[in-house]
Amino acid sequence: MTPQHHHQPTPRAPGGSPGASLTNTSRGFTLIELLVVISITATLIAITLPALGTARHTTKAIVCASNLRQLTLANLAYAHDHNQHLVPGAPNILQNLRRWHGERDTLDQPFDHTRSPLLPYFQVPAIKECPTFDTPRPGFEAGNGGYGYNQRFLGTDNPDNLRSESSARLHHAKDPTNTLHFADTAFSTDGVELIEYSFAEPPSHGPGFPASPSIHFRHHHTTNAAWLDGHQSTQTLSFTRASIYGVSQTTNQQLHLGWFGPDNNTLFDLE
């Protein structure tokens, strides 16, 4: 009797067609295909990174504006408790021992922000720092968070009396909506480095006495400004000039120091 031969089916790879052999395995990427993938990935990264950087910077600017709002609310609360007087910016500035953001015992010490008269009105035990203000070297005014106060018109009741211990009262401002309260600030004495500075100086200290620029346009060439009525705004640089320390106008422009608005004290004074 002729033996019967049983037909053995051709093995196939899992999921393959009946004719697909186990030896027909997937091939790897060719060099050209790898280069194409790398090129596409690099292009996507190049497109995405600037957008991420912009978003990060925008977030920091928003946090900064929130900090300024808290400063504004703290000072308004201070005025409510002190017969409408805003916090003094630098009581008896000739002694140079007290600022709105802290005090010190001797002139060779930095100001201690835990001794700020505004401290009881904050929800945290320090003035919150602007997250973009990360380049200045520490100075004697370290601790103001990178923010400056309208000392000339709000922090004193008499700009010409350097021994004044008092400050302006809220009702003295005829237009609080257009009276600067706080802003991003910094200062340079050498044209190279920035230091913290606690005053947002007006363009002029009086006839024939132009001020040095201290408003810092550090948020993509803009600055955050807080106004006496409690609102915030974003401002762009309008002009700048050389400082009393010999820093040129061009250098201050490069350091993003200057002013917004007109070249007068309209946005600072109480009129």
Side-chain angles (χ1 to χ4, degrees):
M1 196 172 173
T2 304
Q4 294 183 352
H5 297 279
H6 296 283
H7 177 71
Q8 299 294 324
T10 302
R12 60 179 177 175
S17 62
S21 171
L22 285 173
T23 60
N24 186 20
T25 57
S26 300
R27 63 184 179 85
F29 284 111
T30 66
L31 178 59
I32 292 177
E33 289 171 333
L34 283 173
L35 290 176
V36 170
V37 171
I38 292 172
S39 177
I40 293 174
T41 302
T43 301
L44 290 174
I45 291 174
I47 293 173
T48 304
L49 281 181
L52 290 175
T54 300
R56 188 181 305 114
H57 206 106
T58 300
T59 299
K60 289 182 177 180
I62 292 173
V63 172
C64 171
S66 175
N67 291 348
L68 279 173
R69 176 169 174 76
Q70 291 185 51
L71 267 178
T72 297
L73 294 177
N75 201 15
L76 293 177
Y78 177 97
H80 182 269
D81 291 344
H82 292 81
N83 196 26
Q84 296 298 298
H85 280 282
L86 295 158
V87 66
N92 197 341
I93 198 170
L94 291 179
Q95 290 183 347
N96 202 15
L97 297 177
R98 289 178 288 167
R99 290 283 193 276
W100 63 269
H101 61 87
E103 297 184 5
R104 58 183 178 177
D105 296 319
T106 61
L107 295 178
D108 59 349
Q109 295 177 332
F111 288 98
D112 180 359
H113 66 266
T114 65
R115 297 164 64 184
S116 167
L118 289 181
L119 188 61
Y121 302 93
F122 281 108
Q123 296 181 352
V124 293
I127 294 171
K128 292 185 177 180
E129 295 183 359
C130 171
T132 304
F133 197 53
D134 56 1
T135 56
R137 70 178 189 269
F140 75 98
E141 288 213 82
N144 63 48
Y147 302 119
Y149 182 37
N150 183 1
Q151 152 68 12
R152 179 74 180 174
F153 294 99
L154 300 183
T156 180
D157 62 351
N158 185 350
D160 298 318
N161 179 9
L162 299 183
R163 297 186 184 278
S164 174
E165 293 277 345
S166 191
S167 59
R169 302 176 74 177
L170 281 175
H171 70 268
H172 289 165
K174 295 181 179 179
D175 186 7
T177 303
N178 291 303
T179 302
L180 185 68
H181 199 171
F182 291 98
D184 293 319
T185 55
F187 204 78
S188 180
T189 58
D190 58 9
V192 178
E193 293 184 298
L194 293 172
I195 60 173
E196 292 186 62
Y197 190 67
S198 66
F199 300 149
E201 299 288 7
S204 174
H205 288 312
F209 293 95
S212 297
S214 66
I215 297 179
H216 192 203
F217 296 77
R218 54 176 170 256
H219 301 293
H220 279 316
H221 309 296
T222 66
T223 190
N224 283 322
W227 303 87
L228 192 56
D229 70 336
H231 85 278
Q232 286 78 45
S233 66
T234 300
Q235 302 288 336
T236 57
L237 188 146
S238 300
F239 66 96
T240 189
R241 65 169 67 103
S243 73
I244 59 172
Y245 291 97
V247 180
S248 70
Q249 176 176 329
T250 299
T251 300
N252 277 327
Q253 181 90 27
Q254 294 170 343
L255 293 172
H256 310 302
L257 296 173
W259 289 272
F260 54 84
D263 189 358
N264 56 51
N265 292 348
T266 302
L267 297 179
F268 293 77
D269 62 30
L270 301 175
E271 299 301 318

